Structures are given as C-alpha cells and as structure tokens.
Amino acid sequence: MSVVVDAETDHRRAVEAVRRGLAELPPDAPVRLRKKTSNLFRFRGGEGGLRVEGLDRVLSVDPVARTADVGGMTTYEDLVAATLPHGLMPLVVPQLKTITLGGAVVGLGIESSSFRDGLPHESVLEADVLTGTGEVLSTTEHPDLLGGLPNSYGTLGYALRLRIELAPVRPFVRLRHVRFDSAAEVATALAEITESRSWAGERVDVVDGTVFSDHEHYVTVGEMVDTAPYLSDYTGQGIYYRSIQERDSDFLTIHDYLWRWDTDWFWCSRALGVQHPVVRRLWPSRYRRSDVYRRLVALDRRLGLSQAVARRGGAAGVEPIIQDVEVPVDRLPEFLAFFHDEIGISPVWLCPLRQRDRRSWPLYPLDPDTTYVNVGFWSDAELSPGQAPDHHNRRIEQVLLGMDGHKSLYSTASYPREEFDALYGGATYRELKARYDPDGRLPDLYTKTVTG
Ligand SMILES: Cc1cc2nc3c(=O)[nH]c(=O)nc-3n(C[C@H](O)[C@H](O)[C@H](O)COP(=O)(O)OP(=O)(O)OC[C@H]3O[C@@H](n4cnc5c(N)ncnc54)[C@H](O)[C@@H]3O)c2cc1C
C-alpha cells in the first residue's frame, strides 16, 4: 500500500483549518466553498468562503484492496493520475477533468461505465463529513448521512475525505461506433447492452451515445484491451465527437479514453471557435480544457455578450439550456421526439445508467430494476417575444415529470416546491437537515438549487 505519511498529517491540519474556518464565520455569513474550479452552471457565486487548501490530494492508493483514500476536493484529473499507474481507476470517472470527487458525490456524476457501476457515490465506502453543527462525522457511524449526501449539494455537510472502490483497467480501449437511424433502435440497443454487457457477441466495458439529428444516432461501445494496432489522439487537431461520424472503430489509450470529452467540452468548444482549424492551431493545447472554456462562458454571462448579440438579431434573448436529465430507457424515443421538436439543440449526449445495487439513495431516487438513459444537452435557445426567460427549461421539467424522469441540479431549475420535494426526497431531506444542520448554518437545498 502506498501511503504518504506527510499527506496524512497535512490532511489532518487541513481538516482542522476548515473546521475552524466554519466556526469563525459570523453566524449570518453565507457558507460556501472557496475552490479554484467549479462545474456548476449557476453563476451566482460571491466572494469569500471556506478555504479548503490541502483537501485536494489523494492520500493513499491500496492496489491490493483496490481502494483509495481521497481528499474531498481532489479533482478526477489528479485522482486518475494517482490510480492509473496501479492499473486501476475509480468505478465511474466523470468526463470533465476538474470535477472533484466530493462534487461528483454530492452533485452526482455519470459516465460510460454507469450502465454497470451506477453513479460515483455508489462506490464510496465511507466518508468524513463536516456537518452544519461544525463536527466532523464518519459515515461509518452515521450511514444515513452517507445515504443523504448524493444530491445534497453541500447543504448537509462537506465531504472532507472519502474511501472509494477502484476497478482494474487495461491499457487500451477498442471503440466501435454503431449507427442507428431511429431513436427506438437506440433505446433497444442501450437496454440490451445494459442487460447483457455485450454487443454483437463481444464484451462491452463502457458505452455511451451521441445524437446528431432525429435520424442520425450512434452508440459507442468500448472494450478494454491489452494491445492496440494503432492509437488515435484527439487532444491535437482531431476532434473526438466528429470521429464518431467518420469512423466505425478506433483505439485510444485508457487515459485518452477517460478524458476524450474534456478537450472539446464534449462539443461545446465549438461556440468559442476552438474547432475552427486556424483558431485550433493557434489555441495552446494546454488551454484546450473544459475548465478554461467554462471560465470563458462565465465571463460571457457576466458581460451579457450572447444576450446582446441575440437581441440585435431580433430575438427576445437567449435562454441557456445546460442540463442532464434521466428518463427510463423505454421513454427515450418519446423524450427525444419532444426535444428535437421543441428545443432543437444538437448534438445530444446519451449515457445508459443502472443502479449498481439495491440500496436506496433518497435524495435522488432511482428504481434499481429500471435502466435509465442520461440525456445531456448544453447550449442556448432563442426566446420569442413574450416567452419567460426560463421557458424552455421549465417545459423540459414538465415533460420529464410525465415520463418518470428527473434532472440533475448542477444548473438552473424552476420546480415549484411540491414538485421538487416529490422528486428529490423532500421528507427525508428535512429529517437529515434537522439531524446534521439543525440551526440551518448551511443553505437549504431548494434555496440553493432553485431559487438561488
Ligand atoms: C456542461 C456540463 C456537463 C456536465 N456533464 C457531466 C457529465 O457528463 N457527467 C458528470 O458526471 N457530471 C457532469 N456534469 C455535472 C458535474 O458533475 C456536477 O456539476 C458536479 O457537482 C461538479 O463537481 P465539482 O467538483 O466541479 O463541484 P463544484 O461545482 O465546486 O460544486 C458543486 C456543488 O457541490 C458542493 N460541493 C463541492 N464539493 C463538495 C464536497 N467535498 N462536499 C460537499 N459538497 C461539495 C458545492 O457546494 C456545490 O454546491 C456536467 C456539468 C456541466 C456544467
């Protein structure tokens, strides 16, 4: 087991510092984290916050037990860099490099291993949590706290250290991009792959999908392998999502596979011009990363540039539609038909998801016997005169309600309180809040994620 003793000592000091930081904040000061990066799409921030330096490290990796002890603010980029040399990876690695383990557990995460391994919180063995009372509690003694962390967005407490399971990997991934004309065929294929963990007689270790239009869908299945006849590289001039339309099969290193979507933020770098061959050549490769693009988008929101351009073009404004939603796989064709018809954003990302075990996660309940598909879309839509600024996002919420679906809360949400409580375990949340943050020192979940 590789343990860095200094890291343990540093971690204890960092825990003490953040605990003291919370205790010393004036009682009426809002509590928030002061982190270098974020993947939230609610740009409501503010100055100040709890300093969390020293909680962003991998403390140890145990290659025999296949576990890692990790500071709560550690990015997946650093986590993967620590585990891959041991031939291991976290069971689910969200696609954006600066998503942190703590953020993915309390704010949910998903990736192409989720059809088998569920969501990142399902492979957390234990966590130390700084609660609203200012205590650092272990979830080993408080299992209900672990159960309530997913989808709590730091409103019950902050995960300072987590022990997670790891899974073995092979050095390369062989990809097959399989085209389907109709959404119904895609839904059938995703359901079948999730059940059998194979496609056309070959093992599937990872699977996701990309929709370019109502008649052009791809399911990408991957198998981890020990050798590769050639390797592609999409961190340079090549662009991964375009390769899906251009080739039937491909080989990537496991490292490049895990970060395939980060270089171009799926396809969202297009809006910033980064996919234009001239701009791409001039844009330094170290800045071809999702966190750089997100900072640029945050700047645009602050300056209101896109809104101004849309208004000059005659629209009533633009509505950012940055969402990941979940629908049962058999409702996928219906959801996509609505989406193409009324929202019209493309491409769209698909990722099948099945809960790993039968445990209940009350704040983001899923039926363990149902295969869901995560549908991700991240762009703007123009508003017509008279439409409310959240017109399209609210419409998506309403359609989801009728399909037994719901959405992640990392972006904007407009749910009325009763709908929100029914979808996200409101009664259980209130019990946990009364137990772990009785004085309401931390924000309330509805206020934090909906009303702001
Ligand atoms: C365009 C886009 C696409 C996305 N696509 C995906 C995707 O495909 N797959 C995926 O997995 N996720 C995706 N996400 C969502 C992302 O995983 C979540 O937003 C996640 O919560 C971000 O984690 P972070 O570490 O950046 O946390 P932050 O953005 O810093 O914080 C998120 C929230 O969690 C709280 N928090 C952060 N760390 C802790 C902690 N240690 N303990 C308690 N609370 C904490 C914060 O207070 C905050 O409320 C996407 C987001 C965007 C914007």
Side-chain angles (χ1 to χ4, degrees):
M1 168 149 131
S2 72
V3 179
V4 183
V5 176
D6 283 352
E8 292 282 346
T9 314
D10 285 352
H11 179 78
R12 274 197 295 275
R13 275 196 207 116
V15 168
E16 197 37 49
V18 73
R19 219 168 61 80
R20 218 173 327 113
L22 181 60
E24 286 169 1
L25 267 187
D28 54 346
V31 184
R32 61 169 73 91
L33 295 175
R34 193 194 297 181
K35 285 171 73 225
K36 280 185 245 149
T37 56
S38 169
N39 290 280
L40 280 184
F41 247 75
R42 293 186 287 274
F43 298 96
R44 297 174 191 148
E47 298 305 311
L50 291 178
R51 300 177 71 99
V52 290
E53 286 94 348
L55 296 170
D56 54 357
R57 298 186 198 151
V58 179
L59 301 169
S60 63
V61 175
D62 185 337
V64 178
R66 290 186 183 158
T67 59
D69 273 20
V70 186
M73 319 296 161
T74 308
T75 63
Y76 272 92
E77 182 174 27
D78 291 343
L79 179 50
V80 164
T83 62
L84 279 191
H86 298 281
L88 297 167
M89 66 177 251
L91 270 67
V92 180
V93 176
Q95 304 84 343
L96 312 181
K97 287 177 174 174
T98 60
I99 291 179
T100 62
L101 178 58
V105 167
V106 306
L108 306 181
I110 189 163
E111 231 290 75
S112 55
S113 53
S114 291
F115 77 112
R116 189 190 55 226
D117 292 326
L119 301 178
H121 57 262
E122 295 187 64
S123 37
V124 174
L125 298 168
E126 58 179 78
D128 295 339
V129 181
L130 173 65
T131 64
T133 60
E135 300 162 285
V136 178
L137 301 180
S138 162
T139 58
T140 308
E141 276 115 53
H142 301 272
D144 60 336
L145 181 56
L146 181 59
L149 282 183
N151 213 34
S152 65
Y153 281 89
T155 65
L156 296 175
Y158 293 117
L160 304 182
R161 171 190 180 118
L162 303 101
R163 177 165 296 162
I164 58 164
E165 293 174 65
L166 301 172
V169 293
R170 295 191 187 171
F172 307 106
V173 182
R174 177 172 79 96
L175 300 178
R176 286 176 284 162
H177 305 301
V178 187
R179 182 176 172 159
F180 296 93
D181 293 336
S182 76
E185 289 170 296
V186 173
T188 305
L190 292 177
E192 197 182 311
I193 292 165
T194 302
E195 285 300 329
S196 67
R197 298 181 183 183
S198 67
W199 176 252
E202 294 181 55
R203 197 182 73 230
V204 171
D205 295 317
V206 282
V207 54
D208 64 356
T210 313
V211 181
F212 289 91
S213 72
D214 63 355
H215 57 274
E216 188 181 6
H217 314 71
Y218 296 85
V219 169
T220 298
V221 288
E223 181 184 2
M224 293 193 197
V225 291
D226 291 319
T227 55
Y230 62 88
L231 285 170
S232 293
D233 175 6
Y234 297 106
T235 61
Q237 294 306 298
I239 296 172
Y240 174 69
Y241 82 93
R242 296 219 184 118
S243 76
I244 293 172
Q245 289 174 297
E246 289 160 3
R247 27 193 329 157
D248 298 331
S249 61
D250 211 343
F251 284 85
L252 293 174
T253 64
I254 180 71
H255 174 274
D256 286 358
Y257 175 76
L258 292 176
W259 301 127
R260 70 200 181 286
W261 290 121
D262 189 81
T263 311
D264 282 286
W265 209 13
F266 289 84
W267 30 79
C268 301
S269 69
R270 187 175 54 187
L272 300 163
V274 182
Q275 295 177 22
H276 187 284
V278 177
V279 178
R280 198 170 182 84
R281 259 195 300 278
L282 296 173
W283 192 287
S285 61
R286 67 179 183 285
Y287 295 136
R288 266 183 241 131
R289 297 170 51 99
S290 60
D291 52 330
V292 173
Y293 309 136
R294 186 190 175 281
R295 267 182 237 133
L296 292 173
V297 171
L299 183 69
D300 174 63
R301 294 278 179 97
R302 266 204 306 281
L303 302 178
L305 296 177
S306 301
Q307 291 289 353
V309 170
R311 289 205 175 92
R312 279 181 60 183
V318 287
E319 181 184 352
I321 303 180
I322 313 285
Q323 302 289 352
D324 278 66
V325 308
E326 253 103 51
V327 289
V329 67
D330 56 355
R331 309 299 293 266
L332 179 68
E334 204 182 330
F335 181 79
L336 286 179
F338 146 76
F339 191 82
H340 293 309
D341 194 34
E342 287 193 32
I343 310 294
I345 290 172
S346 76
V348 168
W349 186 61
L350 303 179
C351 187
L353 153 70
R354 185 75 172 254
Q355 202 169 297
R356 191 174 168 216
D357 56 32
R358 308 196 68 77
R359 186 170 173 177
S360 120
W361 304 94
L363 273 49
Y364 204 77
L366 294 171
D367 172 4
D369 295 320
T370 297
T371 296
Y372 295 84
V373 179
N374 178 286
V375 186
F377 33 92
W378 315 289
S379 190
D380 293 335
E382 286 194 354
L383 288 163
S384 305
Q387 286 184 333
D390 63 350
H391 171 84
H392 299 96
N393 280 294
R394 182 63 192 137
R395 181 81 184 108
I396 292 165
E397 287 178 359
Q398 285 165 338
V399 167
L400 283 174
L401 275 178
M403 291 184 186
D404 295 327
H406 44 23
K407 67 178 197 180
S408 314
L409 297 174
Y410 68 79
S411 184
T412 52
S414 312
Y415 290 114
R417 183 101 211 194
E418 314 74 62
E419 276 176 22
F420 186 87
D421 279 355
L423 285 169
Y424 302 107
T428 310
Y429 176 72
R430 276 188 285 280
E431 283 169 27
L432 290 168
K433 189 76 173 165
R435 206 167 299 146
Y436 295 108
D437 185 25
D439 300 326
R441 191 66 197 85
L442 305 174
D444 165 71
L445 182 62
Y446 184 74
T447 313
K448 188 167 187 178
T449 59
V450 181
T451 54

